[in-house]
Amino acid sequence: MMTDVAEQNGSSSGAGGAGDSVDPRTGTREPLAAARIAEIRQRIDEIDRSLIELWQERAQLSQQIGATRMASGGTRLVLSREQEILERFRAALGADGTQFALLLLRAGRGPL
């Protein structure tokens, strides 16, 4: 686990006394740094919650589109729309954006 690595890295350095151990939650000995890390992590956790909610909402909306399209006799997929989404994410985020967009598309339509 990551905390195990932080503990190992901190304890193997030999710096500091017994009371100067690495905080396993933050990976640092410095109280001010640990407090800043905790503060930043709170914001990361908020962003993660938002991302999860948005992911779920997006998947639901995409599934509604697919169901509506198929119920009206349309195709299961519109490849030009998927390409548009892939390109948008690639342009904004590079190769990782493409991978992210593929996951989003799969969540909305299911695996092919």
Side-chain angles (χ1 to χ4, degrees):
M1 298 187 92
M2 294 302 287
T3 54
D4 296 336
V5 172
E7 288 173 333
Q8 290 172 0
N9 287 342
S11 62
S12 65
S13 67
D20 196 22
S21 63
V22 171
D23 181 334
R25 294 166 297 162
T26 62
T28 185
R29 290 182 176 88
E30 297 294 325
L32 291 176
R36 180 67 179 136
I37 289 168
E39 179 183 306
I40 293 168
R41 284 182 176 165
Q42 281 183 327
R43 180 62 184 135
I44 287 173
D45 291 346
E46 291 171 4
I47 292 169
D48 288 349
R49 281 189 292 276
S50 295
L51 286 171
I52 290 166
E53 289 174 11
L54 289 169
W55 178 285
Q56 291 170 332
E57 179 182 2
R58 188 192 190 288
Q60 181 184 31
L61 292 169
S62 184
Q63 290 165 9
Q64 289 176 19
I65 288 171
T68 301
R69 188 172 46 243
M70 290 182 68
S72 68
T75 61
R76 179 168 181 233
L77 301 173
V78 176
L79 294 178
S80 61
R81 172 65 177 164
E82 291 201 357
Q83 287 297 323
E84 177 186 322
I85 292 165
L86 289 167
E87 178 55 27
R88 180 183 321 138
F89 278 81
R90 188 210 54 77
L93 303 172
D96 288 342
T98 301
Q99 294 302 309
F100 182 56
L102 286 168
L103 290 170
L104 284 172
L105 291 169
R106 186 169 133 196
R109 61 161 153 69
L112 292 176

